[in-house]
Amino acid sequence: MAAPSLDMACEDLSAFQESLRAMRRIDDNIVHALNTTIPTASFADKASATNQCQDLYKQLLQSYEKRESVIKSCIGETAKEVQGLKDKRVNDPDNFELLKELRKMQTKFRLMQNELNIEEVVKDRSLKVFYERCRLYYKPPELKL
């Protein structure tokens, strides 16, 4: 599953969230991936479940790293914009339009921070399903459930 590029635009919150949704597709389809990865008992000798579980785990880790990097990058960019607007507000405290823009940017910042929490939930759910299905074949050293 190809993930969107890392140079996703942080300015548009809807596009940002849609890109994350596309990047989370591997987690959304984890049960299907495991069903097609882990052979039934009758096919166990024809496929290496250990290698398939290991490969799937690597894909999951890469996906987590990419998404976390993108989210943190956008949070950093948005934090700079919020700080810039706060600085402008100090110089022009009566500017209503500036206040509206600051509030809008702060909301966007909080929503992006919330994506980190969502990321943790998605990650925990996927790793739990992974562990339940692959524990007999492959147990990553850093996976603690």
Side-chain angles (χ1 to χ4, degrees), residues 79-89:
K80 287 178 188 174
E81 290 179 38
V82 167
Q83 190 58 49
L85 289 170
K86 282 181 178 180
D87 293 343
K88 287 181 184 177
R89 179 103 169 103

Side-chain angles (χ1 to χ4, degrees), residues 37-39 43-55 137:
T37 298
I38 308 300
F43 292 105
D45 58 337
K46 295 181 182 177
S48 171
T50 301
N51 288 343
Q52 291 173 333
C53 283
Q54 191 173 13
D55 289 344
Y137 307 105

Side-chain angles (χ1 to χ4, degrees), residues 17-62:
Q17 290 174 325
E18 187 59 39
S19 294
L20 284 176
R21 209 170 292 124
M23 292 172 81
R24 289 179 178 139
R25 201 162 283 134
I26 188 171
D27 293 280
D28 294 340
N29 297 327
I30 187 81
V31 173
H32 173 69
L34 287 167
N35 285 341
T36 58
T37 298
I38 308 300
T40 59
S42 61
F43 292 105
D45 58 337
K46 295 181 182 177
S48 171
T50 301
N51 288 343
Q52 291 173 333
C53 283
Q54 191 173 13
D55 289 344
L56 181 59
Y57 184 71
K58 287 179 185 176
Q59 288 177 14
L60 286 171
L61 286 184
Q62 288 173 347

Side-chain angles (χ1 to χ4, degrees), residues 3-20:
S5 67
L6 290 177
D7 40 310
M8 122 169 103
C10 300
E11 298 87 38
D12 183 1
L13 184 63
S14 295
F16 170 77
Q17 290 174 325
E18 187 59 39
S19 294
L20 284 176

